[in-house]
Amino acid sequence: MNQEKIGKFIAECRKEKNLTQLQLAEKLNISNRAVSKWETGKSCPDVSIMMELCDILGINVNELLAGERIIMENYQKKAEQNLVELQKQKEQANKMKRKLEILWGVIAIILCPVHLAINYFYPENQGTYIGWVILIIGAFLFVPYFLKYYKVEIKLK
């Protein structure tokens, strides 16, 4: 999905309906700055208001996501392209999430030896509980990662 193309299309449809950015924003209960960001391609409308936006502009969601009017002969093809593009974006988000989970897992694994080293090399810190704080933080980071990675389900009753 091309945000700039979508933004230009929103602006075009808004102007066809003789609406200002402020008027469109008021109908959607959002700020006119949000509409401006859409139209400049800096962001896209939130999914929660897409249907209402489409109703106001007299378009459908596939046209909005394509950033252009769709002729009925091309409608199915465009719809499939939009679904594939949304799926790709979802997969990219999941990959990023997995990378973050791995990073947190590594950090958690590293924090345990740090705790032991602090207590070994600085025994005067044992009364300050710094090592315990590090260990608890590591456990909070590692346990959810471990449970999710190994697909362990905890059933609470």
Side-chain angles (χ1 to χ4, degrees):
M1 293 185 322
N2 184 337
Q3 282 186 200
E4 288 181 18
K5 187 176 179 183
I6 292 171
K8 288 178 184 176
F9 183 61
I10 291 171
E12 177 186 312
C13 293
R14 175 183 57 78
K15 290 172 185 172
E16 286 175 5
K17 297 288 183 180
N18 295 318
L19 294 170
T20 65
Q21 288 182 346
L22 182 60
Q23 290 169 329
L24 179 59
E26 287 174 351
K27 288 181 181 233
L28 295 168
N29 295 320
I30 58 172
S31 72
N32 60 330
R33 291 180 64 197
V35 175
S36 176
K37 285 182 181 180
W38 301 340
E39 293 184 0
T40 57
K42 293 180 182 174
S43 68
C44 276
D46 189 59
V47 176
S48 63
I49 61 171
M50 270 189 194
M51 293 300 293
E52 189 176 358
L53 174 64
C54 289
D55 288 341
I56 293 168
L57 298 178
I59 58 175
N60 60 49
V61 175
N62 279 325
E63 290 174 323
L64 177 66
L65 295 175
E68 63 187 10
R69 300 254 182 219
I70 301 173
I71 302 168
M72 278 312 262
E73 295 124 22
N74 299 335
Y75 188 81
Q76 184 67 27
K77 183 180 175 184
K78 261 312 186 195
E80 289 173 2
Q81 287 174 347
N82 288 336
L83 288 173
V84 168
E85 184 66 30
L86 288 172
Q87 185 63 32
K88 284 180 185 177
Q89 288 180 353
K90 182 179 177 183
E91 288 173 8
Q92 287 176 340
N94 283 339
K95 283 181 184 178
M96 188 64 163
K97 185 179 175 186
R98 272 188 241 119
K99 287 179 183 178
L100 285 172
E101 288 173 344
I102 290 169
L103 175 68
W104 284 118
V106 168
I107 289 171
I109 290 169
I110 291 171
L111 286 178
C112 187
V114 168
H115 161 68
L116 295 173
I118 286 173
N119 282 338
Y120 181 77
F121 291 111
Y122 302 99
E124 66 274 4
N125 285 337
Q126 286 182 350
T128 63
Y129 300 105
I130 292 173
W132 284 105
V133 170
I134 291 172
L135 184 64
I136 291 169
I137 291 170
F140 276 117
L141 295 174
F142 182 70
V143 171
Y145 171 77
F146 177 81
L147 294 175
K148 186 172 183 175
Y149 183 77
Y150 289 104
K151 295 179 175 60
V152 176
E153 292 184 24
I154 299 174
K155 295 181 181 178
L156 302 174
K157 291 184 180 182

